[in-house]
Amino acid sequence: MIEVTFHSQGSRLSGFEVKGHSGLAPQGEDILCAAVTSAVRLTECAVNDVLGLEASVKVREKEASISLKLPSGLEETTETTCQTLLTAMMVYFTDLKEEYPDNIIVYDMEV
């Protein structure tokens, strides 16, 4: 099962962690894993490469996990953009959870 945990501080999404495998299909053929990986990579690229931030990204291959933590003290427009990206990702993963309830779970954790 894929576990997605969004980290929040009040109403601010500060990051996320995604770990596990869906088990929907063999590796390399799993459309759910591909969809999740694509969304994670797009969000990380938007935050770090397009916006030029230095969000902390940790990849743990043994645990099949990746996490991203936004820096604090962002300028207002950048903060709004990051919140939009993370919120859209949360909505997308929640939609995937409704479609594949046995293969993905989404949490929102206060940190």
Side-chain angles (χ1 to χ4, degrees):
M1 174 164 299
I2 296 172
E3 292 183 20
V4 181
T5 304
F6 286 91
H7 302 268
S8 57
Q9 298 169 318
S11 63
R12 179 183 190 255
L13 291 171
S14 59
F16 61 85
E17 179 178 21
V18 178
K19 63 183 176 180
H21 295 286
S22 78
L24 191 63
Q27 186 175 359
E29 298 176 22
D30 194 318
I31 61 170
L32 183 55
C33 281
V36 169
T37 299
S38 180
V40 167
R41 292 189 67 193
L42 176 65
T43 302
E44 189 274 327
C45 286
V47 168
N48 283 334
D49 299 334
V50 175
L51 294 175
L53 302 180
E54 293 182 12
S56 170
V57 176
K58 293 182 183 174
V59 177
R60 294 174 200 87
E61 290 187 33
K62 286 185 180 181
E63 293 86 19
S65 75
I66 185 168
S67 63
L68 179 142
K69 182 177 180 187
L70 293 175
S72 58
L74 297 175
E75 182 263 309
E76 184 178 346
T77 302
T78 303
E79 178 69 30
T80 300
T81 301
C82 287
Q83 292 306 301
T84 299
L85 288 166
L86 291 182
T87 301
M89 193 168 125
M90 181 184 274
V91 169
Y92 177 64
F93 287 157
T94 300
D95 287 349
L96 287 176
K97 178 186 150 230
E98 289 176 15
E99 234 179 296
Y100 301 96
D102 296 331
N103 305 93
I104 183 170
I105 190 159
V106 180
Y107 301 104
D108 186 6
M109 179 190 310
E110 183 76 24
V111 291

